[in-house]
Amino acid sequence: MFFAESSVSVGAVRESSITWPARSAEMAPRLILPTGIVAFAALNDPDVDALLAAQATHPRVRGIRHIVNWHADPQRTYGPVDLTVDPQWQAGYALLAKYGLSFDLQCYPGQMQGLVPLIERHPDIPVIGFPKGAGEKLPAYARETGVQAVGVDETLDPQWVARELPAGMPVQGNFDPLLLLSGSDRLESRARFILEAFADRPHIFNLGHGIDRRTPIAHVERLIETVRSFEG
């Protein structure tokens, strides 16, 4: 099965994370892709219920991303504290089910031991895990963490991923953002290769990592047209 679906994530700025989906909704009649928006909400925000309610009013907002990578090494950590052990953050996470939103999980391996029980307590919240750089450990991550889907970075062979992951597990990814930036004549063939590799499982076509701000719009349009015209 092929999901003719593409997603985009909205950066972690409180105000724009609300207004950007609204602007996207206004353009919706003219847009085919993206079909899904992953918005930002700080799940430890005192007003998180209202924030999630606001995001859920936009029909293309399918999930929430709040990057929680924490490490004792200040050179490696994303934030000053480990939000995943904060009861307020965990309460915010639980509210995702109320609004039918998924969660895009980005964390360090050392945090998973505490996150697995949280994921298990809320089976009604779909979790897409992003174990960037996992390499050959990706299948174990998919089996052992309780996530319902995995994001695949651009370094992995999609045919290997499709062969090694549990049957039917949804996949997101994994087009190389540098190939999109260059716009070489391999752009269309690589996109089709990825689509064909994941044609037998649910697949959200996306980049393997964030888009480079220097990427020409014309290259993005070529990629979108390739995805739209694919028949798997």
Side-chain angles (χ1 to χ4, degrees):
M1 178 173 60
F2 168 66
F3 274 7
E5 182 164 318
S6 178
S7 69
V8 63
S9 61
V10 179
V13 178
R14 193 180 194 273
E15 292 75 14
S16 63
S17 70
I18 298 295
T19 59
W20 196 94
R23 291 198 299 270
S24 177
E26 292 172 359
M27 295 186 292
R30 305 191 300 276
L31 295 175
I32 300 297
L33 298 176
T35 54
I37 296 172
V38 177
F40 168 74
L43 298 182
N44 61 328
D45 192 304
D47 297 322
V48 64
D49 200 342
L51 292 174
L52 295 178
Q55 297 289 21
T57 62
H58 308 302
R60 294 195 183 196
V61 170
R62 308 293 182 82
I64 294 296
R65 177 179 296 178
H66 187 193
I67 299 175
V68 294
N69 294 67
W70 179 84
H71 198 280
D73 183 347
Q75 299 300 316
R76 297 181 60 186
T77 193
Y78 188 84
V81 297
D82 185 359
L83 290 173
T84 66
V85 300
D86 177 5
Q88 185 167 327
W89 186 89
Q90 294 182 4
Y93 174 88
L95 284 172
L96 293 171
K98 176 180 177 180
Y99 297 102
L101 295 168
S102 65
F103 183 66
D104 280 23
L105 174 61
Q106 295 186 47
C107 68
Y108 282 127
Q111 297 173 278
M112 283 306 305
Q113 184 175 359
L115 280 167
V116 168
L118 178 66
I119 294 171
E120 292 176 342
R121 288 199 302 273
H122 301 282
D124 48 352
I125 301 174
V127 177
I128 304 176
F130 289 87
K132 183 170 176 58
E136 63 183 16
K137 297 179 181 179
L138 178 69
Y141 175 93
R143 292 191 305 268
E144 298 171 13
T145 60
V147 299
Q148 286 77 32
V150 291
V152 181
D153 70 43
E154 68 279 9
T155 66
L156 294 177
D157 176 4
Q159 290 184 335
W160 177 85
V161 172
R163 186 170 61 250
E164 297 296 327
L165 284 182
M169 172 169 269
V171 170
Q172 179 166 294
N174 69 328
F175 194 85
D176 189 342
L178 293 181
L179 178 55
L180 183 60
L181 173 65
S182 70
S184 80
D185 56 8
R186 294 182 54 248
L187 187 153
E188 287 82 3
S189 62
R190 182 62 183 180
R192 286 191 292 270
F193 178 74
I194 294 169
L195 292 167
E196 289 166 359
F198 295 134
D200 291 333
R201 66 175 65 236
H203 177 211
I204 302 172
F205 188 90
N206 202 344
L207 302 184
H209 198 51
I211 188 169
D212 190 297
R213 67 181 64 189
R214 300 168 296 173
T215 303
I217 294 298
H219 297 179
V220 178
E221 291 173 339
R222 284 170 56 193
L223 183 61
I224 289 175
E225 181 56 34
T226 303
V227 175
R228 286 174 58 188
S229 62
F230 178 76
E231 296 181 2

